[in-house]
Amino acid sequence: NDYMLEEADRSVHDALCSVSRTLESNSVVPGGGAVETALSLHLEDYARTFDSYEQWAIAEFAEALLTIPKTLAMNAAMDAIDLLAALRVRHHAAQSAQDPKKADYKWFG
C-alpha cells in the first residue's frame, strides 16, 4: 500500500537526519524520559519536606511526569514497569554517585 511505503520512507529519512545531525553537532540531548525521570525523583524528595496537602500535590505531579517514559516504553513494546524501575534506579545512582561511571547514568533515558 502506498501509505505504508510513504510512512516507511519518512521514518528512514527522519532516522538518517537524526544520525546526520548528531554527527555534525557531536552532541546528544538526553531523551527517552531522562529529564522527566530525574525531575520526578527530585520532586519526590522535595515533597517529603512538606507535612500538608502540598506534599500530596507535589508527589502526584512527580508521578504524572513518569507518564512520558511509561508511554515511550509501551510504544516501543517494552515492559514499562521493568524499564521505569531500572531507569529510576540508574537516575538515583547518578544523583548519589561517587563513582564517575555511575554519574553518567543521569543521561540514561
Side-chain angles (χ1 to χ4, degrees), residues 10-26:
R10 185 185 62 77
S11 295
V12 170
H13 179 266
D14 290 348
L16 290 174
C17 285
S18 296
V19 170
S20 172
R21 295 248 164 77
T22 301
L23 292 174
E24 287 172 3
S25 67
N26 209 17

Side-chain angles (χ1 to χ4, degrees), residues 85-108:
L87 187 60
R88 289 170 53 92
V89 165
R90 289 197 175 198
H91 277 271
H92 181 57
Q95 291 174 8
S96 59
Q98 304 298 332
D99 182 10
K101 183 179 177 188
K102 287 187 180 179
D104 287 340
Y105 284 171
K106 65 184 172 187
W107 304 113
F108 277 57

Side-chain angles (χ1 to χ4, degrees), residues 62-86:
E63 186 176 336
L65 285 172
L66 295 177
T67 303
I68 294 168
K70 282 181 195 174
T71 303
L72 290 171
M74 290 188 314
N75 287 344
M78 301 176 86
D79 184 3
I81 303 301
D82 285 343
L83 189 67
L84 194 60

Side-chain angles (χ1 to χ4, degrees), residues 38-80:
L39 184 57
S40 174
L41 288 174
H42 284 293
L43 286 175
E44 285 176 359
D45 289 340
Y46 181 65
R48 289 187 195 100
T49 64
F50 292 92
D51 59 353
S52 61
Y53 284 107
E54 287 88 0
Q55 179 185 31
W56 176 79
I58 294 168
E60 287 298 314
F61 183 73
E63 186 176 336
L65 285 172
L66 295 177
T67 303
I68 294 168
K70 282 181 195 174
T71 303
L72 290 171
M74 290 188 314
N75 287 344
M78 301 176 86
D79 184 3

Side-chain angles (χ1 to χ4, degrees), residues 27-31 35 107:
S27 64
V28 177
V29 175
V35 173
W107 304 113

